[in-house]
Amino acid sequence: MPSDCLFCRIAAKQLPAKFVFENERIVAFADLAPQAPAHVQLIPRKHIASTLEVADEDREVVGELIQTAAGLARELGFAEDGYRLVFNTNAAAGQSVYHLHLHLLGGRTFRWPPG
């Protein structure tokens, strides 16, 4: 775990966050600057810098992030209306924390293209 990684520190509970899910492989917590009525960050506990760093052995945890996001969308009550899942990779795409994270956004209508 890089000591300067914000999300590693959140996963290790060294920094406060409002957790909505956790198990031994992943954690999910409320985004501090939500872009929708529901905005959850899902991260692997293992430090993976971005989608460019996902290795063969990481496939299962990436799938678990997506499945967990779908389950949270159901629990939070917006799955049927629709929701958005976003992985940003590198600065031009908006990645500001270099720890793989999946945004789960819901509770409003989204437009296309996104931005």
Side-chain angles (χ1 to χ4, degrees):
M1 167 182 96
S3 62
D4 62 340
C5 176
L6 175 69
F7 286 173
C8 284
R9 294 181 67 205
I10 288 172
K13 297 186 178 179
Q14 296 172 349
L15 293 174
K18 181 182 175 190
F19 280 63
V20 296
F21 176 86
E22 69 177 306
N23 66 20
E24 61 277 355
R25 293 169 303 284
I26 67 173
V27 298
F29 52 91
D31 192 282
L32 289 176
Q35 301 300 306
H39 187 169
V40 175
Q41 300 281 357
L42 295 98
I43 66 169
R45 289 185 185 272
K46 174 186 175 185
H47 183 81
I48 303 168
S50 75
T51 59
L52 293 170
E53 304 297 324
V54 174
D56 287 342
E57 64 267 16
D58 301 322
R59 289 181 185 190
E60 189 173 317
V61 75
V62 172
E64 188 174 355
L65 290 173
I66 295 167
Q67 287 180 317
T68 302
L72 287 171
R74 286 185 201 96
E75 286 178 29
L76 296 171
F78 54 81
E80 295 304 317
D81 288 337
Y83 57 94
R84 183 165 284 169
L85 298 177
V86 178
F87 284 108
N88 295 319
T89 302
N90 287 337
Q95 185 176 10
S96 59
V97 177
Y98 285 83
H99 183 119
L100 183 73
H101 54 286
L102 176 62
H103 297 263
L104 166 62
L105 301 118
R108 70 172 173 89
T109 300
F110 295 94
R111 309 262 183 255
W112 194 261

